[in-house]
Amino acid sequence: MSDTLFRRARFRLAAHELRQLPADVGAEVAFAGRSNAGKSSALNRICDQVGLARTSKTPGRTQQLVVFELDERRRLIDLPGYGYAKVPPTLRDHWRELIDAYLSGRQSLRGVVLIMDSRHPLKDFDRLMLQYCRDINLPCHVLMTKVDKLSRGDAARTLLGARREMASLCPGATIQAFSSLDKIGIDEARTAIGAWLEEPAPDDAP
């Protein structure tokens, strides 16, 4: 897929309920991750746009399902970061239910990009997300972010260890090193996401 498509990404809407999302046709890829793992920065770098997704030093700024449109049939979806902002428990529960319903019921969803901080990989949420993807047969690609904070040797060891653990949590899931700051792994990430976005919808399949 051409890098140009990612550069066309534009904010479409922010949904607090599934019914507010665009029609469930075409193909979309969701971005998930713990708050402060670098999800917004990764989205911005992949799309080569500085301010597409909001970044903040305060974790949990993404509080809805944020839709970025690539073209009329392809989208990227930014999910609320796990850990969330300082909000009432009822709202956190709503977000969890919303994400669960989205991941399990959205027909146009082709895969999940899971963002993990390379300095703190495979925390409880990461493991749960990988197992959830396994259980609902949803492809998952992990971006191990902020590898610029590690030495090359530490980054390689961390990547190998995470890949080994992932093999039991979610067979078939893939993982790569990524750094928004040093522009590491951008083409690899685009290739993985692009492959999903090129998959035909079930009703388009021959």
Short mmCIF file of all heavy atoms in Angstrom, two decimals, residues 26-32 75-79 102-103 106-114 129 133 136-142 192-193 195-197 199:
data_model
loop_
_atom_site.label_atom_id
_atom_site.label_comp_id
_atom_site.label_asym_id
_atom_site.label_seq_id
_atom_site.Cartn_x
_atom_site.Cartn_y
_atom_site.Cartn_z
N GLY A 26 -16.36 -1.65 4.43
CA GLY A 26 -14.96 -1.36 4.13
C GLY A 26 -14.03 -2.07 5.08
O GLY A 26 -14.27 -3.21 5.48
N ALA A 27 -12.94 -1.39 5.45
CA ALA A 27 -11.93 -2.00 6.32
C ALA A 27 -11.38 -0.96 7.27
O ALA A 27 -11.16 0.20 6.89
CB ALA A 27 -10.80 -2.60 5.48
N GLU A 28 -11.15 -1.38 8.51
CA GLU A 28 -10.54 -0.48 9.48
C GLU A 28 -9.61 -1.25 10.42
O GLU A 28 -9.75 -2.46 10.61
CB GLU A 28 -11.60 0.28 10.28
CG GLU A 28 -12.56 -0.58 11.05
CD GLU A 28 -13.78 0.21 11.54
OE1 GLU A 28 -14.22 1.16 10.85
OE2 GLU A 28 -14.32 -0.14 12.60
N VAL A 29 -8.64 -0.53 10.97
CA VAL A 29 -7.66 -1.09 11.89
C VAL A 29 -7.70 -0.26 13.16
O VAL A 29 -7.70 0.98 13.12
CB VAL A 29 -6.25 -1.07 11.28
CG1 VAL A 29 -5.20 -1.46 12.32
CG2 VAL A 29 -6.17 -2.02 10.09
N ALA A 30 -7.74 -0.93 14.31
CA ALA A 30 -7.83 -0.25 15.61
C ALA A 30 -6.46 -0.20 16.28
O ALA A 30 -5.67 -1.15 16.18
CB ALA A 30 -8.82 -0.97 16.51
N PHE A 31 -6.20 0.89 16.96
CA PHE A 31 -4.99 1.06 17.76
C PHE A 31 -5.36 1.02 19.23
O PHE A 31 -6.21 1.79 19.68
CB PHE A 31 -4.31 2.40 17.44
CG PHE A 31 -3.55 2.42 16.15
CD1 PHE A 31 -4.20 2.30 14.93
CD2 PHE A 31 -2.16 2.56 16.15
CE1 PHE A 31 -3.49 2.32 13.73
CE2 PHE A 31 -1.44 2.57 14.97
CZ PHE A 31 -2.11 2.44 13.75
N ALA A 32 -4.72 0.11 19.97
CA ALA A 32 -5.01 -0.05 21.40
C ALA A 32 -3.70 0.01 22.17
O ALA A 32 -2.63 -0.28 21.63
CB ALA A 32 -5.72 -1.37 21.65
N ARG A 75 -10.29 3.07 7.26
CA ARG A 75 -10.21 3.92 8.44
C ARG A 75 -9.22 3.37 9.47
O ARG A 75 -8.96 2.16 9.51
CB ARG A 75 -11.59 4.02 9.12
CG ARG A 75 -12.69 4.58 8.26
CD ARG A 75 -14.06 4.36 8.88
NE ARG A 75 -14.41 2.93 8.97
CZ ARG A 75 -14.94 2.23 7.98
NH1 ARG A 75 -15.19 2.80 6.82
NH2 ARG A 75 -15.22 0.95 8.15
N LEU A 76 -8.71 4.25 10.30
CA LEU A 76 -7.95 3.90 11.50
C LEU A 76 -8.77 4.35 12.70
O LEU A 76 -9.32 5.45 12.70
CB LEU A 76 -6.58 4.57 11.51
CG LEU A 76 -5.67 4.31 10.30
CD1 LEU A 76 -4.38 5.10 10.43
CD2 LEU A 76 -5.38 2.83 10.13
N ILE A 77 -8.82 3.51 13.74
CA ILE A 77 -9.62 3.81 14.93
C ILE A 77 -8.71 3.86 16.14
O ILE A 77 -8.03 2.88 16.46
CB ILE A 77 -10.72 2.75 15.16
CG1 ILE A 77 -11.49 2.46 13.86
CG2 ILE A 77 -11.64 3.20 16.29
CD1 ILE A 77 -12.31 3.62 13.34
N ASP A 78 -8.70 4.99 16.82
CA ASP A 78 -7.90 5.17 18.03
C ASP A 78 -8.78 4.87 19.24
O ASP A 78 -9.75 5.59 19.50
CB ASP A 78 -7.37 6.61 18.07
CG ASP A 78 -6.33 6.82 19.16
OD1 ASP A 78 -5.91 5.83 19.79
OD2 ASP A 78 -5.93 7.98 19.37
N LEU A 79 -8.46 3.80 19.97
CA LEU A 79 -9.25 3.40 21.14
C LEU A 79 -8.76 4.12 22.39
O LEU A 79 -7.59 4.48 22.49
CB LEU A 79 -9.14 1.88 21.35
CG LEU A 79 -9.55 0.98 20.18
CD1 LEU A 79 -9.39 -0.49 20.57
CD2 LEU A 79 -10.97 1.26 19.74
N TYR A 102 -17.06 -3.17 20.48
CA TYR A 102 -16.47 -2.79 19.19
C TYR A 102 -15.59 -3.91 18.65
O TYR A 102 -15.73 -4.32 17.48
CB TYR A 102 -15.65 -1.51 19.36
CG TYR A 102 -14.79 -1.20 18.15
CD1 TYR A 102 -15.35 -0.67 17.00
CD2 TYR A 102 -13.42 -1.48 18.16
CE1 TYR A 102 -14.56 -0.42 15.88
CE2 TYR A 102 -12.63 -1.22 17.05
CZ TYR A 102 -13.21 -0.69 15.92
OH TYR A 102 -12.44 -0.46 14.81
N LEU A 103 -14.69 -4.43 19.47
CA LEU A 103 -13.75 -5.45 19.00
C LEU A 103 -14.45 -6.73 18.59
O LEU A 103 -14.06 -7.39 17.62
CB LEU A 103 -12.71 -5.75 20.09
CG LEU A 103 -11.73 -4.62 20.43
CD1 LEU A 103 -10.83 -5.03 21.58
CD2 LEU A 103 -10.88 -4.23 19.21
N ARG A 106 -17.58 -5.53 15.41
CA ARG A 106 -17.38 -4.67 14.24
C ARG A 106 -16.93 -5.51 13.05
O ARG A 106 -15.82 -6.06 13.02
CB ARG A 106 -16.34 -3.61 14.57
CG ARG A 106 -16.17 -2.53 13.53
CD ARG A 106 -17.30 -1.56 13.49
NE ARG A 106 -16.98 -0.43 12.61
CZ ARG A 106 -17.86 0.48 12.22
NH1 ARG A 106 -19.12 0.39 12.64
NH2 ARG A 106 -17.49 1.47 11.44
N GLN A 107 -17.76 -5.62 12.02
CA GLN A 107 -17.48 -6.50 10.89
C GLN A 107 -16.33 -5.97 10.01
O GLN A 107 -15.62 -6.75 9.39
CB GLN A 107 -18.73 -6.66 10.04
CG GLN A 107 -19.88 -7.37 10.76
CD GLN A 107 -19.50 -8.74 11.24
OE1 GLN A 107 -19.05 -9.57 10.45
NE2 GLN A 107 -19.67 -9.00 12.52
N SER A 108 -16.16 -4.67 9.95
CA SER A 108 -15.12 -4.09 9.09
C SER A 108 -13.74 -4.08 9.75
O SER A 108 -12.75 -3.76 9.10
CB SER A 108 -15.50 -2.67 8.68
OG SER A 108 -15.78 -1.87 9.81
N LEU A 109 -13.66 -4.46 11.02
CA LEU A 109 -12.38 -4.46 11.74
C LEU A 109 -11.50 -5.60 11.25
O LEU A 109 -11.88 -6.76 11.30
CB LEU A 109 -12.63 -4.59 13.24
CG LEU A 109 -11.38 -4.61 14.14
CD1 LEU A 109 -10.60 -3.31 14.01
CD2 LEU A 109 -11.78 -4.85 15.59
N ARG A 110 -10.32 -5.26 10.76
CA ARG A 110 -9.41 -6.27 10.20
C ARG A 110 -8.31 -6.69 11.17
O ARG A 110 -7.72 -7.74 11.01
CB ARG A 110 -8.77 -5.73 8.92
CG ARG A 110 -9.76 -5.45 7.81
CD ARG A 110 -10.31 -6.76 7.25
NE ARG A 110 -11.27 -6.49 6.20
CZ ARG A 110 -12.58 -6.38 6.38
NH1 ARG A 110 -13.08 -6.54 7.60
NH2 ARG A 110 -13.40 -6.14 5.38
N GLY A 111 -7.99 -5.86 12.14
CA GLY A 111 -6.92 -6.21 13.06
C GLY A 111 -6.69 -5.11 14.09
O GLY A 111 -7.21 -4.00 13.96
N VAL A 112 -5.91 -5.45 15.10
CA VAL A 112 -5.57 -4.52 16.18
C VAL A 112 -4.07 -4.29 16.20
O VAL A 112 -3.28 -5.25 16.16
CB VAL A 112 -6.02 -5.07 17.55
CG1 VAL A 112 -5.45 -4.22 18.69
CG2 VAL A 112 -7.53 -5.10 17.64
N VAL A 113 -3.67 -3.03 16.24
CA VAL A 113 -2.28 -2.67 16.49
C VAL A 113 -2.18 -2.37 17.99
O VAL A 113 -2.78 -1.42 18.49
CB VAL A 113 -1.86 -1.43 15.68
CG1 VAL A 113 -0.42 -1.04 16.02
CG2 VAL A 113 -1.99 -1.71 14.19
N LEU A 114 -1.43 -3.22 18.69
CA LEU A 114 -1.29 -3.08 20.14
C LEU A 114 0.02 -2.37 20.45
O LEU A 114 1.09 -2.82 20.04
CB LEU A 114 -1.31 -4.46 20.80
CG LEU A 114 -1.12 -4.52 22.31
CD1 LEU A 114 -2.17 -3.69 23.04
CD2 LEU A 114 -1.15 -5.97 22.80
N MET A 129 -5.33 -8.28 26.20
CA MET A 129 -5.68 -7.92 24.83
C MET A 129 -5.24 -9.00 23.85
O MET A 129 -5.97 -9.37 22.92
CB MET A 129 -5.06 -6.58 24.46
CG MET A 129 -5.37 -6.12 23.04
SD MET A 129 -7.15 -5.91 22.72
CE MET A 129 -7.46 -4.39 23.62
N CYS A 133 -7.78 -11.14 21.54
CA CYS A 133 -7.65 -11.26 20.08
C CYS A 133 -7.60 -12.72 19.65
O CYS A 133 -8.20 -13.11 18.64
CB CYS A 133 -6.40 -10.52 19.60
SG CYS A 133 -6.52 -8.71 19.67
N ILE A 136 -11.21 -14.28 19.87
CA ILE A 136 -12.18 -13.88 18.85
C ILE A 136 -11.58 -13.95 17.44
O ILE A 136 -12.17 -13.47 16.48
CB ILE A 136 -12.73 -12.47 19.12
CG1 ILE A 136 -11.63 -11.40 19.05
CG2 ILE A 136 -13.44 -12.42 20.47
CD1 ILE A 136 -12.17 -9.97 19.18
N ASN A 137 -10.39 -14.55 17.35
CA ASN A 137 -9.73 -14.77 16.06
C ASN A 137 -9.49 -13.46 15.31
O ASN A 137 -9.74 -13.35 14.11
CB ASN A 137 -10.56 -15.72 15.20
CG ASN A 137 -9.75 -16.33 14.06
OD1 ASN A 137 -8.53 -16.53 14.19
ND2 ASN A 137 -10.40 -16.61 12.95
N LEU A 138 -8.98 -12.46 16.04
CA LEU A 138 -8.72 -11.14 15.47
C LEU A 138 -7.20 -10.95 15.36
O LEU A 138 -6.49 -11.06 16.36
CB LEU A 138 -9.31 -10.05 16.36
CG LEU A 138 -9.18 -8.61 15.88
CD1 LEU A 138 -9.96 -8.39 14.59
CD2 LEU A 138 -9.67 -7.65 16.96
N PRO A 139 -6.68 -10.69 14.17
CA PRO A 139 -5.23 -10.50 14.01
C PRO A 139 -4.71 -9.35 14.89
O PRO A 139 -5.41 -8.35 15.10
CB PRO A 139 -5.08 -10.17 12.52
CG PRO A 139 -6.28 -10.78 11.88
CD PRO A 139 -7.39 -10.62 12.87
N CYS A 140 -3.49 -9.51 15.37
CA CYS A 140 -2.88 -8.50 16.24
C CYS A 140 -1.42 -8.30 15.85
O CYS A 140 -0.68 -9.27 15.67
CB CYS A 140 -2.98 -8.92 17.71
SG CYS A 140 -2.34 -7.69 18.87
N HIS A 141 -1.03 -7.04 15.73
CA HIS A 141 0.36 -6.68 15.45
C HIS A 141 0.81 -5.72 16.54
O HIS A 141 0.16 -4.71 16.80
CB HIS A 141 0.48 -6.03 14.07
CG HIS A 141 1.89 -5.67 13.69
ND1 HIS A 141 2.84 -6.63 13.42
CD2 HIS A 141 2.51 -4.47 13.54
CE1 HIS A 141 3.99 -6.04 13.11
NE2 HIS A 141 3.82 -4.73 13.18
N VAL A 142 1.92 -6.04 17.20
CA VAL A 142 2.40 -5.25 18.33
C VAL A 142 3.51 -4.30 17.89
O VAL A 142 4.47 -4.71 17.22
CB VAL A 142 2.93 -6.16 19.46
CG1 VAL A 142 3.55 -5.33 20.58
CG2 VAL A 142 1.79 -7.02 20.01
N ALA A 192 2.32 -3.84 7.59
CA ALA A 192 1.41 -4.72 8.32
C ALA A 192 -0.02 -4.18 8.30
O ALA A 192 -0.99 -4.92 8.03
CB ALA A 192 1.89 -4.88 9.75
N ILE A 193 -0.16 -2.89 8.56
CA ILE A 193 -1.49 -2.28 8.58
C ILE A 193 -2.09 -2.25 7.18
O ILE A 193 -3.27 -2.55 6.98
CB ILE A 193 -1.40 -0.85 9.16
CG1 ILE A 193 -0.91 -0.91 10.61
CG2 ILE A 193 -2.75 -0.14 9.08
CD1 ILE A 193 -0.46 0.44 11.16
N ALA A 195 -1.60 -4.26 4.72
CA ALA A 195 -2.04 -5.59 4.29
C ALA A 195 -3.46 -5.87 4.80
O ALA A 195 -4.29 -6.44 4.09
CB ALA A 195 -1.07 -6.66 4.78
N TRP A 196 -3.73 -5.48 6.03
CA TRP A 196 -5.08 -5.66 6.58
C TRP A 196 -6.10 -4.81 5.83
O TRP A 196 -7.19 -5.26 5.53
CB TRP A 196 -5.12 -5.29 8.06
CG TRP A 196 -4.47 -6.27 8.97
CD1 TRP A 196 -4.23 -7.58 8.72
CD2 TRP A 196 -3.98 -6.02 10.29
NE1 TRP A 196 -3.62 -8.16 9.81
CE2 TRP A 196 -3.46 -7.23 10.78
CE3 TRP A 196 -3.93 -4.88 11.10
CZ2 TRP A 196 -2.90 -7.34 12.06
CZ3 TRP A 196 -3.39 -4.99 12.37
CH2 TRP A 196 -2.87 -6.21 12.85
N LEU A 197 -5.73 -3.57 5.56
CA LEU A 197 -6.67 -2.65 4.91
C LEU A 197 -6.97 -3.05 3.48
O LEU A 197 -8.00 -2.64 2.92
CB LEU A 197 -6.12 -1.23 4.96
CG LEU A 197 -6.06 -0.58 6.35
CD1 LEU A 197 -5.33 0.76 6.28
CD2 LEU A 197 -7.46 -0.40 6.92
N GLU A 199 -7.42 -6.21 2.62
CA GLU A 199 -8.23 -7.43 2.63
C GLU A 199 -9.66 -7.10 2.25
O GLU A 199 -10.23 -6.12 2.73
CB GLU A 199 -8.20 -8.08 4.02
CG GLU A 199 -6.88 -8.69 4.41
CD GLU A 199 -6.93 -9.35 5.77
OE1 GLU A 199 -8.04 -9.44 6.32
OE2 GLU A 199 -5.87 -9.75 6.27
#
